[in-house]
Amino acid sequence: MTTPTITVAGAGIVGLWQALTLARRGFSVRLIERSVEPFAQSASALAGAMLAPYCEAEAADPLVRELGLKSLALWPQSYPGVTVKGTLVVAGTRDRAELVRFARMTDGFEKLDAEELNALEPDLEGRFAAGLHYPAEAHMAPAEAMRFLLDAIRAAGVQVAFSSTWAGRSSAEETVIDCRGLAARGELTGLRGVRGERAIVRVRDVDLIRPVRLLHPRHPLYVVPWGGRRYMIGATVIESDDDGPATVRSALELLGSAYALHPAFGEAQILDLGAGVRPAFADNVPKIVVRGRTIHVNGLYRHGFLLAPVLAELVADYLATGAVDDRVFKMEAAT
Ligand SMILES: Cc1cc2nc3c(=O)[nH]c(=O)nc-3n(C[C@H](O)[C@H](O)[C@H](O)COP(=O)(O)OP(=O)(O)OC[C@H]3O[C@@H](n4cnc5c(N)ncnc54)[C@H](O)[C@@H]3O)c2cc1C
C-alpha cells in the first residue's frame, strides 16, 4: 500500500521545514506555493535570520527559548551555511541601564568589559564600555538558506509547485499542513500581522563578525552580517498588517541607530529598504492547530527561522505516533 501524499501549503520558512522533515521521515509530500518566484510573497524573505533563543527571551514566552534551543541544534544538521559566532549586545553610555535590564531578563551570556569587547569585535574598538556575549547563538543569510532548503526538498523527492494557490482539501483523505502564514488569517482566530521594516546595506569600512544588538529604550536595533559586507539593519515592530514600503520615520530610526553603532554606516550603500508582516497570535507564541486532517502551523512572529525546524519535528512526531505537546498543539473539531 502506498502512503497517501501530504500537501504542504506555503513555501515560507515554515513550509520549507515541514516539507523537508516529513519527506526525510518517509512521508510522500507535495509543496505548493502561490508565488511565481520562490519566496517573493513570503514574510520569511524579509527576516534577519538570527537564531537567538537567549536574546529573544528578553521579551518572549519561556517556551520560545526552550523550543528555540532545540532548533539551534537542528539547523546545522540540514544547512551548512549556519554561522555560529554568537550575538553581541551593547548599549550607549546613557543607556547602560538597558544592558543591566537585558542581562536580568536573559541567560546564556558572558559579560564583557571594554577590552574583551574589542577583542571579540575589533571594528567596534573604543565605542562601548561593556557588553553581553551570547556565544551559542547563530545567524545566516535568509535567501541563501531558503534556496538551499528548496534544493534539499527537491532532492528528498518532494513534488514542488510554484504558481499554485491552495484553495482547500481535494479529498477527505488528504492531509494538509497549512503553512500559509498571514494568508490563513481567515481560518485562525486571533492571528494578526506585526509589521517589520528593515534595511539592507553594504558597508566598506565595517567588518562585524556576529549580529550586534544596540539597546535603546525606544529604538532598539540589530545589525546582522550576511557576508560580503552586506548587513541587515532591523527591525521595527509595529501592530499593523500593512506590508507597504518602509516609512521615512522608520528608515530614519533604523539608519540613525546603525550610524550610532558605528559612523561608517553613514557611508553605507542602501541596497534595499522594505517591510514584511509577521504572523502572530495574541501571546506571540506559535501554535499547531489540528482540525482532523488539516494541520495549521502558524503564528511564528519574530521567530520563524528560530522555530520552524522544531515545529516540523513536532508535526512529524504527531503524524507518526499521535504525540502531542499541549503547550503548542491545539486540538479542534475537524471542519
Ligand atoms: C523584518 C523582519 C525580521 C525578522 N527577523 C527574524 C529573525 O532574525 N529570526 C527569526 O527567526 N525570524 C525573524 N522574522 C520572523 C519570520 O520572518 C517569520 O516568523 C516567518 O517569516 C513566518 O514564516 P511563515 O512560513 O509562517 O510565513 P511566510 O514566510 O509568509 O510564508 C507563507 C507562504 O505561504 C504562501 N501562501 C499564502 N497563501 C497561499 C495559498 N493559498 N496557496 C499557496 N501558498 C500560499 C505565501 O506566498 C508565502 O510564501 C523576521 C520577520 C521580519 C518581517
Side-chain angles (χ1 to χ4, degrees):
M1 200 178 75
T2 55
T3 330
T5 295
I6 294 175
T7 299
V8 176
I13 195 62
V14 174
L16 292 174
W17 268 102
Q18 291 289 330
L20 185 62
T21 304
L22 292 171
R24 287 185 174 164
R25 294 270 197 110
F27 292 96
S28 164
V29 180
R30 72 178 179 132
L31 172 63
I32 61 172
E33 164 59 47
R34 67 181 172 183
S35 69
V36 179
E37 289 297 320
F39 323 130
Q41 287 176 264
S42 71
S44 304
L46 274 293
M50 292 177 293
L51 307 180
Y54 294 106
C55 284
E56 287 297 306
E58 181 230 351
D61 188 284
L63 185 58
V64 170
R65 177 188 173 284
E66 181 188 323
L67 295 174
L69 288 176
K70 292 185 180 159
S71 276
L72 204 51
L74 290 168
W75 259 106
Q77 292 171 21
S78 286
Y79 179 49
V82 176
T83 304
V84 188
K85 295 279 185 189
T87 304
L88 177 63
V89 179
V90 292
T93 320
R94 271 182 299 183
D95 303 322
R96 287 289 294 281
E98 286 294 306
L99 205 58
V100 174
R101 186 190 60 79
F102 200 91
R104 212 175 40 237
M105 305 300 289
T106 58
D107 68 342
F109 60 82
E110 47 208 33
K111 287 185 179 170
L112 306 178
D113 61 21
E115 205 176 316
E116 291 162 330
L117 202 152
N118 297 344
L120 195 73
E121 206 61 76
D123 276 15
L124 292 182
E125 177 155 15
R127 303 199 56 75
F128 299 97
L132 304 170
H133 180 219
Y134 297 75
E137 293 193 338
H139 69 281
M140 67 194 86
E144 285 88 330
M146 291 172 80
R147 274 198 299 272
F148 184 95
L149 291 179
L150 186 57
D151 288 345
I153 285 165
R154 288 190 164 117
V158 174
Q159 305 161 42
V160 182
F162 286 91
S163 305
S164 185
T165 298
W166 185 74
R169 292 225 315 271
S170 54
S171 75
E173 287 73 44
E174 186 187 20
T175 296
V176 175
I177 317 295
D178 184 334
C179 306
R180 289 178 294 145
L182 206 57
R185 190 163 32 177
E187 282 120 272
L188 292 172
T189 311
L191 192 70
R192 74 188 202 285
V194 181
R195 176 175 163 92
E197 293 145 297
R198 62 95 179 98
I200 302 173
V201 300
R202 181 176 287 122
V203 196
R204 232 192 16 230
D205 296 327
V206 192
D207 196 2
L208 299 178
I209 296 158
R210 56 189 54 76
V212 179
R213 293 184 182 224
L214 177 61
L215 303 181
H216 184 276
R218 285 185 317 285
H219 309 305
L221 149 122
Y222 57 77
V223 172
V224 190
W226 280 354
R229 302 271 163 127
R230 276 180 314 147
Y231 294 87
M232 187 274 213
I233 303 170
T236 57
V237 180
I238 299 170
E239 288 293 331
S240 163
D241 57 8
D242 173 8
D243 65 354
T247 62
V248 170
R249 182 200 307 275
S250 296
L252 287 170
E253 283 169 11
L254 292 172
L255 300 175
S257 304
Y259 184 62
L261 180 68
H262 197 299
F265 279 102
E267 304 305 319
Q269 298 171 329
I270 300 172
L271 303 179
D272 191 42
L273 200 52
V277 182
R278 313 166 179 99
F281 290 106
D283 57 1
N284 296 330
V285 175
K287 311 265 178 283
I288 298 172
V289 180
V290 180
R291 292 178 185 148
R293 288 182 182 274
T294 301
I295 301 174
H296 295 268
V297 186
N298 217 317
L300 277 84
Y301 183 51
R302 282 166 59 111
H303 310 121
F305 279 75
L306 179 61
L307 298 181
V310 71
L311 294 183
E313 292 289 336
L314 289 174
V315 168
D317 289 346
Y318 169 72
L319 291 174
T321 68
V324 159
D325 180 335
D326 288 335
R327 298 170 304 166
V328 188
F329 279 79
K330 270 180 80 183
M331 310 304 286
E332 297 186 350
T335 46

